[in-house]
Amino acid sequence: MTLKNRISLLVSLLFTILFGLASTVIFVLYSNFRKEEFRDRLEIKALSNIKLLVNVKEVDDQLLKIIDQNSINKLYDEKTLVFDSHFKLIYSSIDDAKINWSVEDLKYLKKHKTFFKQQGDYEVYGVFYDTKDKDFYALISATDDYGKRKLLFLRYTLVVSYIFFTCICWVLTSFMVKKAMNPLSVFHQKIKNINENNLDTRVESKSNKNEIDLIANEFNFMMDRIEISYQKQKEFTAHASHELRTPLSRITSQIENVVTDPATSEKGKSFLKTILSDVNQLTELINSLLILSKIDNKNHENTEVQRMDEILFSAIENLNKSFPDFVILFEMEESDNLDSVLEVKGNKNLLEIALGNILKNACVYSDDKQAKVKISEENNHLVISISNNGKTLSEDEQKNLFQPFMRGKNSKGTSGFGLGLRIVQRILSLHNTTITYSVPTDNINLFQLFFH
């Protein structure tokens, strides 16, 4: 899980939990408030009935019932019972409603003055009223339909609000975190595209207070040091290779002169030819290192339009000069867009070196000193396929195919240093071109160049 998704998930879960707890607390507090409010209403009603019976002489049982039935504050299914000090029922408001009571309840009232309890759907409130002459006990029962409807409405409101705002929170949190982390995504994309050809790439930073900008600043500082070190390394390789070419050229020339001298014995010529072969390989290695050190985006701007078929023919011609026994079979697939896709922006010399190395590699490692070249078009992009018959590479060897000085088991008995394909990959990467290796059938090596 990415950091962005993890932050979104944690923030959303935190809001969900907190909002759920807040909704629960609100519901519980309102439920308790409703009970307390209803208890107060029952208490007022009970005390008013007792006071009417005790203090107003003109009010008898029947008149009090009439007052109860027509009271604007009448509670739902209200039932009122009043007892005297001997626990005798002296007043009952409505006969069809029932209140479960016992003498123990009245004794409890005398001791604790009040109580409030639940009986099914009804809530019962009891109160002890003490006068100078007599004691009275009142029990009043009712169902708070109005308060329960409000409580039910609050419950549904909280549930719907919880679901709605939780969904909104998840969406907004994901959006806001994505927006807040966007500089990090840009930073990631920048460093993802950095390679040896664009070490001058830097990440923009707007402020030193932002943590991402601080990381970007440190990253840019690190890239400055890496670029300097890399350029020094390339300069050393280029200078060393250039300086070595001169003495090697003199050695090669002197050996060739001695070999052609009639005074040199056959044994000496054979020995000198072996040395000359080693010197030529060393010269080839130095030339390869020099090419690698010079390949750079800054020095090779890909602005000129080149015809890849012309470059390919030139590479084949140069290869035939050095290796006249090599055979290149050429094929061009017919396509309406082929002429347009053959035009590629790039550096002619570098592209010719890349194609020449692949062709040479295909012929050298073939069983019949022969390679097949095919030009085709795929999705409006140029594809150049180069194949040969010969020993193929294993899966482990294919993973490191384009690494410097890598040579497979099929290179036994063949001279080389394993830099040719590395040079090819470096050149093609400058031209936004992908090279792949595959084994379509047994003993068939296939290289494909995809120009984007």
Side-chain angles (χ1 to χ4, degrees), residues 28 66 77 97 155 169 261 268 293 320 347 367 393 427 434 447:
V28 171
I66 295 173
D77 295 332
R155 177 191 299 173
C169 171
D261 190 351
S293 66
N320 288 332
N347 184 282
D367 294 336
L393 299 177
I427 293 174
T434 305
F447 284 94

Side-chain angles (χ1 to χ4, degrees), residues 116-331:
F116 185 72
K117 63 181 181 178
Q118 190 84 23
Q119 284 187 356
D121 294 333
Y122 292 85
E123 290 169 295
V124 180
Y125 178 77
V127 62
F128 173 73
Y129 186 77
D130 186 11
T131 63
K132 295 180 180 180
D133 300 328
K134 294 182 180 180
D135 297 333
F136 295 92
Y137 306 88
L139 299 178
I140 182 168
S141 171
T143 172
D144 187 16
D145 291 343
Y146 178 70
K148 289 180 179 180
R149 283 201 304 270
K150 291 195 293 184
L151 187 63
L152 184 63
F153 175 78
L154 177 63
R155 177 191 299 173
Y156 288 144
T157 302
L158 290 175
V159 170
V160 172
S161 300
Y162 176 78
I163 296 174
F164 176 76
F165 286 107
T166 298
C167 295
I168 292 294
C169 171
W170 282 74
V171 173
L172 290 180
T173 301
S174 177
F175 173 77
M176 296 302 295
V177 171
K178 183 178 180 180
K179 186 175 181 180
M181 299 291 286
N182 187 58
L184 191 60
S185 299
V186 175
F187 179 76
H188 172 260
Q189 194 62 36
K190 281 274 188 180
I191 64 176
K192 183 180 179 181
N193 296 328
I194 293 177
N195 53 45
E196 65 271 16
N197 296 320
N198 57 356
L199 290 176
D200 58 338
T201 302
R202 297 294 181 268
V203 180
E204 294 183 3
S205 58
K206 299 178 181 178
S207 170
N208 292 326
K209 296 181 180 180
N210 188 294
E211 287 77 4
I212 297 178
D213 289 333
L214 291 175
I215 296 175
N217 290 333
E218 293 299 323
F219 175 80
N220 291 337
F221 180 62
M222 179 190 69
M223 288 303 301
D224 291 337
R225 292 177 291 175
I226 292 176
E227 185 181 12
I228 292 172
S229 300
Y230 186 71
Q231 290 299 329
K232 288 182 177 179
Q233 179 186 7
K234 290 181 67 176
E235 289 174 3
F236 171 78
T237 304
H239 293 159
S241 300
H242 182 74
E243 294 299 325
L244 288 172
R245 291 175 69 184
T246 302
L248 286 175
S249 298
R250 290 199 300 264
I251 293 172
T252 300
S253 177
Q254 293 173 4
I255 292 175
E256 289 176 346
N257 291 335
V258 174
V259 170
T260 57
D261 190 351
T264 306
S265 64
E266 292 298 326
K267 185 177 181 180
K269 289 181 179 181
S270 177
F271 177 72
L272 289 174
K273 286 180 180 179
T274 302
I275 296 177
L276 183 60
S277 176
D278 292 338
V279 172
N280 288 334
Q281 290 186 26
L282 184 58
T283 302
E284 183 181 353
L285 173 61
I286 291 173
N287 289 334
S288 298
L289 291 173
L290 189 59
I291 292 173
L292 278 174
S293 66
K294 289 182 177 180
I295 297 176
D296 196 331
N297 270 333
K298 296 178 181 178
N299 299 329
H300 301 285
E301 297 293 337
N302 305 324
T303 55
E304 297 182 3
V305 177
Q306 311 292 342
R307 287 275 304 188
M308 287 306 301
D309 53 346
E310 296 177 358
I311 295 176
L312 184 59
F313 292 146
S314 178
I316 293 175
E317 184 179 351
N318 292 333
L319 182 66
N320 288 332
K321 291 179 182 179
S322 303
F323 304 93
D325 54 339
F326 287 172
V327 178
I328 306 295
L329 303 177
F330 184 79
E331 178 186 354

Side-chain angles (χ1 to χ4, degrees), residues 2-131:
T2 62
L3 178 63
K4 177 171 58 180
N5 293 336
R6 189 157 57 245
I7 293 176
S8 299
L9 179 62
L10 291 176
V11 173
S12 299
L13 285 177
L14 180 61
F15 175 83
T16 302
I17 294 172
L18 291 178
F19 191 61
L21 290 175
S23 299
T24 303
V25 169
I26 291 173
F27 182 78
V28 171
L29 290 177
Y30 183 79
S31 178
N32 293 332
F33 172 76
R34 184 205 64 81
K35 288 182 179 181
E36 292 295 325
E37 183 187 38
F38 192 61
R39 185 192 67 82
D40 293 341
R41 291 168 60 191
L42 292 177
E43 180 180 13
I44 294 172
K45 184 67 176 178
L47 291 176
S48 63
N49 286 341
I50 293 176
K51 290 178 179 179
L52 283 173
L53 285 173
V54 173
N55 299 328
V56 182
K57 302 300 183 180
E58 293 80 3
V59 177
D60 57 6
D61 293 354
Q62 295 300 321
L63 181 58
L64 188 56
K65 286 183 180 182
I66 295 173
I67 294 174
D68 281 343
Q69 292 174 6
N70 293 278
S71 174
I72 59 174
N73 296 319
K74 184 178 183 299
L75 305 176
Y76 292 99
D77 295 332
E78 177 192 337
K79 174 69 174 181
T80 303
L81 302 177
V82 180
F83 302 87
D84 61 12
S85 58
H86 301 292
F87 307 140
K88 180 181 178 181
L89 180 64
I90 60 174
Y91 172 75
S92 177
S93 59
I94 303 175
D95 294 335
D96 57 354
K98 295 182 178 180
I99 299 180
N100 296 325
W101 65 278
S102 65
V103 176
E104 297 299 325
D105 293 334
L106 302 181
K107 291 181 178 179
Y108 179 88
L109 271 180
K110 185 174 183 180
K111 182 177 180 181
H112 295 89
K113 307 303 180 183
T114 62
F115 72 73
F116 185 72
K117 63 181 181 178
Q118 190 84 23
Q119 284 187 356
D121 294 333
Y122 292 85
E123 290 169 295
V124 180
Y125 178 77
V127 62
F128 173 73
Y129 186 77
D130 186 11
T131 63

Side-chain angles (χ1 to χ4, degrees), residues 353-420:
I353 291 173
L355 291 175
N357 281 349
I358 299 176
L359 291 171
K360 178 185 175 183
N361 185 82
C363 292
V364 167
Y365 292 103
S366 66
D367 294 336
D368 50 6
K369 294 185 179 181
Q370 180 176 288
K372 297 179 182 179
V373 179
K374 180 181 179 182
I375 294 180
S376 60
E377 177 263 335
E378 183 178 309
N379 298 326
N380 292 326
H381 295 294
L382 176 65
V383 179
I384 298 178
S385 303
I386 302 173
S387 62
N388 70 333
N389 296 317
K391 294 181 180 179
T392 58
L393 299 177
S394 65
E395 292 185 1
D396 291 336
E397 290 174 333
Q398 293 179 32
K399 295 177 181 178
N400 301 313
L401 180 59
F402 298 101
Q403 296 301 317
F405 303 104
M406 186 277 170
R407 304 193 74 198
K409 294 180 180 179
N410 62 347
S411 63
K412 291 182 179 180
T414 305
S415 61
F417 301 97
L419 288 175

